[in-house]
Amino acid sequence: MRIPRIFTDSPLAVGGQCQLDDNAANHVGRVLRMQAGQALLLFNGDGHDYHATITEAGKKHVLVAVTEAAENETESPLRVVLAQTLSKGDRMDYAVQKAVEMGVSEIVPLTTERCDVKLKGDREDKRLRHWQQVAISAAEQCGRARVPDIQPVMTVQQWLEHARACDLRLVLHHRTERSLNTLEKPSSIALMIGPEGGLTAEEIALAEDNGFLPVALGPRVLRTETAPVAAIALCQWLWGDIGA
């Protein structure tokens, strides 16, 4: 039987006991219906995997004994910060999920001129919590020991300031002839993805004025939820750990 891999916000230490946080306990006790004596593989974002055995199990209360820790080596040496323009339905969920699987380090939900999703107040907080949970589930599934942070929604100008820490800044733009394989190897990338209707000429010009390079992934126009997956996969293949 496959050992469930679970993220928990709780501190973990070999030889100690740990009470799982509410989300993890609910998943283990109520969804998986696990019992005392069964094994878990836990991680809390510190870069390690922790082998543990359940000592007490209920629908809302799960206590585990941590028996072993191992360094998790699934993180890419390439840091990728993704700014993904908000989209309707489950397209944003898809972009977040697949970006995490591709090894993204951080995700910034972005609002642009042609963005047709508006989030404010409680609705924004609810969506951010939802996307963070999508990221957690994706990390559990793909074997990562670190969960990318979902940042608050940013405007284009806020994003351009946020991205200054990255040494290569890219904006996807299918009308340019520059491709990824013409660029020198970076240690960190800021990647800007537009909405279904594309970024405006003014937004692209503003990005260029702030050090962003327009790049194309090929001759076809990709959907807003497909573009980050393709771009991050190519970046990881060129400069990260895909195909290594």
Side-chain angles (χ1 to χ4, degrees):
M1 179 180 175
R2 180 175 177 270
I3 298 176
R5 190 166 185 276
I6 304 293
F7 173 81
T8 179
D9 275 333
S10 304
L12 298 167
V14 176
Q17 286 203 325
C18 167
Q19 181 172 321
L20 299 187
D21 64 87
D22 291 345
N23 286 338
N26 178 70
H27 188 63
V28 171
R30 186 184 296 273
V31 179
L32 299 180
R33 298 182 180 181
M34 298 185 73
Q35 304 295 322
Q38 291 186 287
L40 289 174
L41 188 62
L42 303 173
F43 68 105
N44 62 4
D46 68 356
H48 292 79
D49 287 331
Y50 294 86
H51 294 268
T53 301
I54 299 172
T55 56
E56 296 179 21
K59 291 183 177 180
K60 296 183 179 180
H61 171 84
V62 176
L63 192 66
V64 302
V66 180
T67 58
E68 183 183 346
E71 186 173 355
N72 184 300
E73 298 181 351
T74 59
E75 291 303 305
S76 172
L78 179 67
R79 174 173 171 77
V80 181
V81 182
L82 169 68
Q84 176 69 37
T85 298
L86 297 169
S87 55
K88 288 184 176 180
D90 60 0
R91 289 179 292 179
M92 191 71 179
D93 288 11
Y94 178 90
V96 170
Q97 181 190 67
K98 301 309 175 186
V100 173
E101 292 178 26
M102 288 293 101
V104 75
S105 305
E106 181 183 342
I107 298 174
V108 175
L110 189 65
T111 180
T112 61
E113 187 172 332
R114 292 174 179 157
C115 174
D116 55 6
V117 177
K118 306 298 180 185
L119 297 177
K120 291 184 179 179
D122 291 344
R123 186 163 176 249
E124 178 179 336
D125 292 341
K126 182 178 179 181
R127 295 310 295 169
L128 290 174
R129 289 194 299 270
H130 170 74
W131 292 325
Q132 190 67 67
Q133 188 57 52
V134 170
I136 287 171
S137 296
E140 289 176 338
Q141 180 274 322
C142 73
R144 294 184 65 176
R146 298 189 187 276
V147 180
D149 287 330
I150 309 295
Q151 298 294 338
V153 177
M154 294 186 191
T155 64
V156 170
Q157 189 60 58
Q158 289 170 327
W159 156 244
L160 296 177
E161 291 294 327
H162 185 79
R164 290 187 185 278
C166 294
D167 55 48
L168 178 61
R169 283 156 277 174
L170 305 174
V171 53
L172 290 198
H173 182 34
H174 66 277
R175 294 189 180 92
T176 183
E177 295 183 359
R178 182 186 288 113
S179 61
L180 288 171
N181 60 7
T182 64
L183 304 175
E184 293 185 5
K185 181 178 180 178
S187 60
S188 60
I189 296 174
L191 183 62
M192 183 176 179
I193 307 292
E196 285 293 335
L199 296 166
T200 65
E202 291 77 15
E203 288 169 332
I204 293 172
L206 182 60
E208 289 186 88
D209 289 343
N210 282 267
F212 277 71
L213 298 177
V215 293
L217 300 183
R220 292 170 293 281
V221 179
L222 302 181
R223 294 177 65 92
T224 185
E225 72 273 23
T226 309
V229 185
I232 296 168
L234 286 170
C235 288
Q236 295 284 22
W237 180 72
L238 286 169
W239 307 306
D241 60 356
I242 288 182

